[in-house]
Amino acid sequence: MENYDRESALSARRNQFIREKMFGEAMMKDSVIFRDANVLNIFCGDCGIAMLAIKAGARHVVAIDTIMNANAARRIVRTCGMSHRITVFGVEVRNMQWAGLQFDIILCAWMDDMGVFQGRVSDLIVARDRFLRMGGIIYPYMLRVSIGAVEDCEYWEATRKLTMATTRNRHLQQIEMKRPVLAHLEPKHIVTTFREILLFDLTNITLADLNREKFFTLMAGKDAPIHSLCTIFESLVMRPTGPVCLTHSHFTRDHRHTIFYLDMQVNACKGSIIIGKLTLRYNERTPLQKVQFTIEYQGLNGNYSGGGIYHVR
């Protein structure tokens, strides 16, 4: 239940600017691989990243997104005088039927953790298998997601009150509480350590690999209530010296995190351990990820055992 007020819109725009700047700088450093390359940019957004790829030396970019985003991106590209270098299509990746068309690079700068949990990694896998030439590059080539527990009382209480006010049926309330939301967090909200839960090598991953289970442990760094699990997303590119993580400061007002609310408050004490399990199930017909968290906690302030299946938008 994101807040679509003016401040949120401005913050989202600032986050987009920061991310475009980060990827632009990275692509300029990697200009040797973009030089004269034919690029497929999936989930192109407003084509800011596609235009930066041209600046980095790409010969031509085919950019795709939803019809609404593609229409807006096409106007921006035309205004910037780059229609001869960037071609924009409004089409779902898995519906693209371009027989024989091959690209040197598949560019996907907007594959954030909601993209992972919504099953958009599957779209990238489809595009890779259909359209990436032999020896081609996926940029970035690896995705890493870490998880931690945070204190998020204001949003947690607001969500509970809203669901209780709008859905009288308790079953519907529970379903609504299990919808991941996007929210801004500050360092003071962090209660536990963060642990890696997903690492996707996009060069080799298959659709079958999207079904997985992962256990993790989190240690509380202070006495504080825990209301939700928070994910941090990072993308990696390959350099001659090895993998390099492209990231910026996560806990600022310009960066939104995917939040998975717990059904009740957990009162953690410093040094206590939370044991968790993430289960991902991919449905090719939907195609969405079914996300399930299981949490076990025992501490001086009480015990907790719970979790549930999260219904991704």
Side-chain angles (χ1 to χ4, degrees):
M1 264 166 270
E2 302 86 343
N3 296 317
Y4 293 103
D5 55 21
R6 183 175 183 273
E7 181 56 33
S8 293
L10 290 174
S11 181
R13 187 68 186 93
R14 288 193 297 264
N15 182 52
Q16 179 179 341
F17 173 79
I18 292 171
R19 188 176 293 194
E20 287 184 359
K21 182 175 182 292
M22 176 183 67
F23 268 91
E25 292 173 351
M27 287 189 288
M28 291 303 295
K29 289 182 180 179
D30 294 326
S31 59
V32 65
I33 68 172
F34 280 90
R35 189 175 302 135
D36 293 327
N38 289 317
V39 178
L40 174 61
N41 182 198
I42 62 177
F43 314 123
C44 66
D46 62 4
C47 269
I49 297 293
M51 289 187 282
L52 289 171
I54 293 294
K55 185 177 180 181
R59 178 188 306 168
H60 191 270
V61 177
V62 173
I64 64 171
D65 209 314
T66 62
I67 293 177
M68 182 181 299
N69 288 345
N71 289 337
R74 202 174 288 117
R75 289 193 295 270
I76 294 173
V77 170
R78 189 183 306 117
T79 301
C80 294
M82 302 190 73
S83 297
H84 64 298
R85 305 286 299 277
I86 301 175
T87 306
V88 185
F89 292 97
V91 61
E92 287 285 340
V93 174
R94 59 189 61 250
N95 293 333
M96 296 190 304
Q97 302 294 332
W98 300 336
L101 191 59
Q102 296 282 283
F103 294 90
D104 303 302
I105 299 173
I106 292 181
L107 175 61
C108 185
W110 300 102
M111 183 71 75
D112 58 11
D113 51 355
M114 281 298 287
V116 172
F117 293 131
Q118 285 183 355
R120 293 304 181 182
V121 172
S122 65
D123 288 337
L124 193 147
I125 293 172
V126 171
R128 179 200 67 193
D129 294 344
R130 291 182 184 176
F131 304 117
L132 187 64
R133 69 166 176 79
M134 185 72 68
I137 295 171
I138 300 176
Y139 197 93
Y141 86 105
M142 188 171 288
L143 307 173
R144 179 165 60 203
V145 181
S146 302
I147 195 166
V150 297
E151 180 272 320
D152 190 25
C153 182
E154 181 180 352
Y155 283 100
W156 187 69
E157 288 290 352
T159 302
R160 285 172 60 89
K161 289 179 181 178
L162 183 60
T163 56
M164 292 176 67
T166 56
T167 55
R168 296 182 179 180
N169 186 299
R170 179 165 177 78
H171 177 67
L172 294 178
Q173 292 175 19
Q174 292 174 342
I175 291 178
E176 192 60 32
M177 283 295 291
K178 295 302 181 183
R179 293 188 186 277
V181 301
L182 299 178
H184 303 275
L185 295 172
E186 300 176 22
K188 65 181 182 181
H189 294 130
I190 302 173
V191 178
T192 70
T193 54
F194 277 79
R195 288 289 182 267
E196 179 185 299
I197 54 171
L198 294 174
L199 186 65
F200 290 146
D201 184 343
L202 301 176
T203 305
N204 303 311
I205 192 171
T206 66
L207 293 177
D209 294 332
L210 297 180
N211 294 290
R212 59 178 62 193
E213 294 181 347
K214 175 71 174 183
F215 288 92
F216 57 90
T217 58
L218 307 173
M219 177 179 289
K222 59 182 179 180
D223 295 341
I226 292 174
H227 302 96
S228 55
L229 299 175
C230 168
T231 54
I232 287 180
F233 167 85
E234 296 170 305
S235 53
L236 294 87
V237 298
M238 181 58 74
R239 298 270 169 78
T241 55
V244 175
C245 179
L246 304 181
T247 185
H248 54 84
S249 180
H250 289 280
F251 293 95
T252 68
R253 63 178 184 150
D254 299 326
H255 190 92
R256 295 194 300 179
H257 295 272
T258 304
I259 303 296
F260 298 86
Y261 287 128
L262 302 178
D263 52 7
M264 63 180 294
Q265 176 177 297
V266 178
N267 296 313
C269 53
K270 184 176 181 179
S272 58
I273 300 295
I274 295 174
I275 300 174
K277 177 184 176 184
L278 166 68
T279 303
L280 290 182
R281 290 291 179 262
Y282 172 71
N283 187 338
E284 191 171 354
R285 287 180 293 181
T286 324
L288 290 175
Q289 293 279 177
K290 181 176 288 187
V291 183
Q292 181 173 1
F293 283 108
T294 304
I295 297 295
E296 297 286 342
Y297 171 79
Q298 293 184 353
L300 298 176
N301 296 335
N303 301 331
Y304 172 83
S305 178
I309 297 175
Y310 289 82
H311 307 267
V312 182
R313 299 179 189 277

Short mmCIF file of all heavy atoms in Angstrom, two decimals, residues 99-123:
data_model
loop_
_atom_site.label_atom_id
_atom_site.label_comp_id
_atom_site.label_asym_id
_atom_site.label_seq_id
_atom_site.Cartn_x
_atom_site.Cartn_y
_atom_site.Cartn_z
N ALA A 99 11.94 -14.04 -34.97
CA ALA A 99 12.74 -15.18 -35.42
C ALA A 99 14.06 -14.70 -36.01
O ALA A 99 14.10 -13.82 -36.87
CB ALA A 99 11.96 -15.99 -36.45
N GLY A 100 15.14 -15.28 -35.51
CA GLY A 100 16.46 -15.01 -36.07
C GLY A 100 17.14 -13.76 -35.55
O GLY A 100 18.31 -13.52 -35.86
N LEU A 101 16.44 -12.92 -34.78
CA LEU A 101 17.03 -11.68 -34.28
C LEU A 101 17.91 -11.99 -33.07
O LEU A 101 17.49 -12.66 -32.13
CB LEU A 101 15.93 -10.70 -33.89
CG LEU A 101 16.36 -9.26 -33.60
CD1 LEU A 101 17.05 -8.65 -34.82
CD2 LEU A 101 15.17 -8.41 -33.19
N GLN A 102 19.15 -11.50 -33.11
CA GLN A 102 20.11 -11.76 -32.04
C GLN A 102 20.73 -10.45 -31.57
O GLN A 102 20.95 -9.52 -32.36
CB GLN A 102 21.23 -12.70 -32.52
CG GLN A 102 20.74 -14.08 -32.91
CD GLN A 102 20.49 -14.96 -31.71
OE1 GLN A 102 21.42 -15.49 -31.10
NE2 GLN A 102 19.22 -15.14 -31.37
N PHE A 103 21.04 -10.38 -30.26
CA PHE A 103 21.61 -9.18 -29.67
C PHE A 103 22.94 -9.51 -29.01
O PHE A 103 23.16 -10.62 -28.53
CB PHE A 103 20.66 -8.57 -28.64
CG PHE A 103 19.38 -8.05 -29.23
CD1 PHE A 103 18.26 -8.87 -29.35
CD2 PHE A 103 19.29 -6.75 -29.68
CE1 PHE A 103 17.09 -8.40 -29.89
CE2 PHE A 103 18.12 -6.25 -30.22
CZ PHE A 103 17.01 -7.08 -30.33
N ASP A 104 23.81 -8.49 -28.94
CA ASP A 104 25.11 -8.65 -28.29
C ASP A 104 24.99 -8.51 -26.78
O ASP A 104 25.74 -9.14 -26.04
CB ASP A 104 26.09 -7.59 -28.81
CG ASP A 104 26.26 -7.64 -30.31
OD1 ASP A 104 26.66 -8.70 -30.81
OD2 ASP A 104 25.99 -6.62 -30.98
N ILE A 105 24.05 -7.66 -26.32
CA ILE A 105 23.89 -7.40 -24.89
C ILE A 105 22.40 -7.36 -24.54
O ILE A 105 21.61 -6.76 -25.28
CB ILE A 105 24.53 -6.05 -24.49
CG1 ILE A 105 26.03 -6.05 -24.79
CG2 ILE A 105 24.28 -5.74 -23.01
CD1 ILE A 105 26.69 -4.69 -24.58
N ILE A 106 22.04 -8.00 -23.45
CA ILE A 106 20.72 -7.80 -22.86
C ILE A 106 20.91 -6.92 -21.63
O ILE A 106 21.64 -7.29 -20.70
CB ILE A 106 20.04 -9.12 -22.48
CG1 ILE A 106 19.69 -9.92 -23.75
CG2 ILE A 106 18.77 -8.87 -21.68
CD1 ILE A 106 18.99 -11.23 -23.48
N LEU A 107 20.28 -5.77 -21.64
CA LEU A 107 20.44 -4.77 -20.59
C LEU A 107 19.18 -4.72 -19.75
O LEU A 107 18.08 -4.54 -20.28
CB LEU A 107 20.73 -3.41 -21.22
CG LEU A 107 20.82 -2.19 -20.30
CD1 LEU A 107 21.96 -2.35 -19.31
CD2 LEU A 107 21.01 -0.92 -21.13
N CYS A 108 19.34 -4.89 -18.44
CA CYS A 108 18.18 -4.84 -17.54
C CYS A 108 18.60 -4.17 -16.24
O CYS A 108 18.99 -4.82 -15.28
CB CYS A 108 17.65 -6.25 -17.27
SG CYS A 108 16.15 -6.24 -16.28
N ALA A 109 18.52 -2.84 -16.25
CA ALA A 109 18.98 -2.07 -15.10
C ALA A 109 17.93 -1.95 -14.01
O ALA A 109 18.25 -1.53 -12.90
CB ALA A 109 19.40 -0.68 -15.56
N TRP A 110 16.68 -2.31 -14.29
CA TRP A 110 15.60 -2.07 -13.34
C TRP A 110 15.07 -3.36 -12.72
O TRP A 110 13.95 -3.40 -12.25
CB TRP A 110 14.46 -1.33 -14.03
CG TRP A 110 14.94 -0.02 -14.57
CD1 TRP A 110 15.25 0.25 -15.88
CD2 TRP A 110 15.23 1.16 -13.84
NE1 TRP A 110 15.70 1.54 -16.00
CE2 TRP A 110 15.70 2.13 -14.77
CE3 TRP A 110 15.13 1.51 -12.50
CZ2 TRP A 110 16.06 3.41 -14.39
CZ3 TRP A 110 15.51 2.79 -12.12
CH2 TRP A 110 15.97 3.72 -13.06
N MET A 111 15.89 -4.40 -12.72
CA MET A 111 15.48 -5.67 -12.13
C MET A 111 15.69 -5.61 -10.62
O MET A 111 16.62 -6.17 -10.08
CB MET A 111 16.29 -6.82 -12.74
CG MET A 111 15.90 -8.19 -12.26
SD MET A 111 14.32 -8.76 -12.86
CE MET A 111 14.76 -9.17 -14.54
N ASP A 112 14.82 -4.87 -9.91
CA ASP A 112 14.98 -4.77 -8.47
C ASP A 112 14.37 -6.00 -7.80
O ASP A 112 13.96 -6.95 -8.44
CB ASP A 112 14.38 -3.47 -7.93
CG ASP A 112 12.90 -3.33 -8.26
OD1 ASP A 112 12.30 -4.33 -8.72
OD2 ASP A 112 12.35 -2.25 -8.05
N ASP A 113 14.36 -6.00 -6.47
CA ASP A 113 13.93 -7.21 -5.78
C ASP A 113 12.45 -7.52 -5.97
O ASP A 113 12.03 -8.67 -5.92
CB ASP A 113 14.29 -7.20 -4.29
CG ASP A 113 13.84 -5.93 -3.59
OD1 ASP A 113 13.33 -5.04 -4.26
OD2 ASP A 113 14.02 -5.85 -2.37
N MET A 114 11.61 -6.49 -6.25
CA MET A 114 10.23 -6.79 -6.60
C MET A 114 10.18 -7.51 -7.94
O MET A 114 9.33 -8.36 -8.18
CB MET A 114 9.39 -5.50 -6.65
CG MET A 114 8.97 -4.99 -5.29
SD MET A 114 7.92 -6.15 -4.39
CE MET A 114 6.39 -5.98 -5.30
N GLY A 115 11.12 -7.16 -8.82
CA GLY A 115 11.21 -7.87 -10.10
C GLY A 115 11.54 -9.34 -9.87
O GLY A 115 11.01 -10.22 -10.54
N VAL A 116 12.41 -9.60 -8.89
CA VAL A 116 12.75 -10.98 -8.57
C VAL A 116 11.53 -11.71 -8.04
O VAL A 116 11.17 -12.79 -8.50
CB VAL A 116 13.90 -11.01 -7.54
CG1 VAL A 116 14.13 -12.43 -7.05
CG2 VAL A 116 15.17 -10.45 -8.14
N PHE A 117 10.86 -11.11 -7.05
CA PHE A 117 9.74 -11.79 -6.41
C PHE A 117 8.50 -11.83 -7.29
O PHE A 117 7.61 -12.65 -7.07
CB PHE A 117 9.42 -11.13 -5.07
CG PHE A 117 10.50 -11.31 -4.05
CD1 PHE A 117 10.99 -10.24 -3.34
CD2 PHE A 117 11.04 -12.55 -3.81
CE1 PHE A 117 12.00 -10.39 -2.40
CE2 PHE A 117 12.04 -12.73 -2.88
CZ PHE A 117 12.52 -11.65 -2.18
N GLN A 118 8.39 -10.96 -8.28
CA GLN A 118 7.26 -11.00 -9.20
C GLN A 118 7.51 -11.94 -10.37
O GLN A 118 6.68 -12.06 -11.25
CB GLN A 118 6.96 -9.59 -9.73
CG GLN A 118 6.28 -8.70 -8.70
CD GLN A 118 5.93 -7.35 -9.26
OE1 GLN A 118 6.28 -7.03 -10.40
NE2 GLN A 118 5.25 -6.54 -8.49
N GLY A 119 8.66 -12.59 -10.39
CA GLY A 119 8.93 -13.56 -11.45
C GLY A 119 9.51 -12.95 -12.70
O GLY A 119 9.58 -13.62 -13.74
N ARG A 120 9.95 -11.67 -12.65
CA ARG A 120 10.48 -11.04 -13.85
C ARG A 120 11.83 -11.60 -14.27
O ARG A 120 12.27 -11.39 -15.39
CB ARG A 120 10.57 -9.52 -13.65
CG ARG A 120 9.22 -8.85 -13.52
CD ARG A 120 8.35 -9.17 -14.72
NE ARG A 120 7.05 -8.51 -14.63
CZ ARG A 120 6.09 -8.65 -15.54
NH1 ARG A 120 6.27 -9.45 -16.57
NH2 ARG A 120 4.95 -8.03 -15.39
N VAL A 121 12.50 -12.29 -13.36
CA VAL A 121 13.72 -12.98 -13.76
C VAL A 121 13.40 -14.00 -14.85
O VAL A 121 14.20 -14.23 -15.75
CB VAL A 121 14.38 -13.67 -12.55
CG1 VAL A 121 15.54 -14.55 -12.99
CG2 VAL A 121 14.88 -12.62 -11.57
N SER A 122 12.22 -14.58 -14.79
CA SER A 122 11.82 -15.55 -15.82
C SER A 122 11.75 -14.89 -17.19
O SER A 122 12.10 -15.50 -18.21
CB SER A 122 10.48 -16.18 -15.47
OG SER A 122 9.43 -15.22 -15.48
N ASP A 123 11.31 -13.62 -17.25
CA ASP A 123 11.28 -12.92 -18.53
C ASP A 123 12.68 -12.73 -19.08
O ASP A 123 12.92 -12.83 -20.28
CB ASP A 123 10.60 -11.55 -18.35
CG ASP A 123 9.11 -11.66 -18.14
OD1 ASP A 123 8.54 -12.70 -18.54
OD2 ASP A 123 8.51 -10.74 -17.57
#
